[in-house]
Each structure stands twice: as C-alpha cells, then as structure tokens.
Amino acid sequence: MNPHHDEADEHHARTTIIVSGRVFVPTRDVETFVAEAQSTYPIAAANPGNLLISFTLHDAASGTVTVLEQWSSQEALDRHLATPEVKALFTKWIPHMRNEVRKFDVTNERDPRSL
C-alpha cells in the first residue's frame, strides 16, 4: 500500500461519465415517455456503477425532457445500455424523438463553489 495514496487521490484519478441533455418527443406522448424512461430507475439502481439517473419533464408544451445521468465508468454505462429494458426503451422511442443528449468524460470533479 502506498502511504502517499489516499482516497481523495483515487477519487480525482478516475473518470466519471456524465450523460446530459434534452430529448424532444411529440407533446401527446411526452408524459408516457417520461413514465417509461423513469421505469428504468430500478434497473440503474441495481447497477453498482450508477451514481445518478433522472428523466424530468422540462416543458410539456414542447415535449422537452431533461436527461441527467452519472456513472462511475464507461463499463457501468455500457452494462445499463445493454439491459433488455433499456434496449426496448430506445427501440420504441428513437424513431419518435430528437435526441440532444451527450456524454461527457469528467476527470476533475469538485465542489462547484471551489476555484
């Protein structure tokens, strides 16, 4: 064990994956989409690499949903995306949505009030 290595060093050395953005679905379907997307929360929670997952209705009038996910690694995200339930959700909704969600690799996590 390295006496100069501590948990804080390990925390800063790893890459966190952030998935964030908006999707746009037909306004008549937005509540159904949000409910179906939120039904994947227990699947994400069962994945030890999931740190956060949220699908939130941003604007019903425009069919806008905000997506925010945080994963401890790319492998954790890959496991989630490979589940049958998540694959089915994408298969059903991709033809009906405009997807502006992006993935970010984060290596310098810190309190937003810090410099």
Side-chain angles (χ1 to χ4, degrees):
M1 181 174 195
N2 182 343
H4 301 290
H5 176 81
D6 63 21
E7 192 173 316
D9 291 336
E10 184 177 303
H11 176 72
H12 290 292
R14 67 178 175 225
T15 299
T16 299
I17 304 298
I18 301 291
V19 177
S20 179
R22 298 177 299 178
V23 295
F24 302 86
V25 297
T27 56
R28 70 182 177 278
D29 299 328
V30 70
E31 304 246 353
T32 301
F33 171 77
V34 169
E36 291 181 14
Q38 289 177 346
S39 76
T40 66
Y41 286 178
I43 296 155
N47 183 334
N50 174 253
L51 305 171
L52 169 74
I53 189 164
S54 177
F55 301 98
T56 306
L57 179 60
H58 179 79
D59 181 24
S62 65
T64 307
V65 177
T66 300
V67 176
L68 181 59
E69 302 178 25
Q70 183 179 359
W71 299 91
S72 64
S73 66
Q74 182 61 51
E75 294 77 20
L77 175 57
D78 291 344
R79 279 193 308 272
H80 180 68
L81 295 175
T83 63
E85 298 87 351
V86 172
K87 287 170 118 178
L89 182 72
F90 277 108
T91 299
K92 177 179 180 179
W93 287 101
I94 281 181
H96 309 288
M97 74 166 61
R98 185 173 87 234
N99 187 342
E100 294 182 359
V101 173
R102 297 295 176 258
K103 179 175 72 172
F104 303 88
D105 304 301
V106 179
T107 57
N108 189 16
E109 181 181 336
R110 63 198 174 281
D111 186 308
R113 296 164 292 182
S114 68
L115 297 176

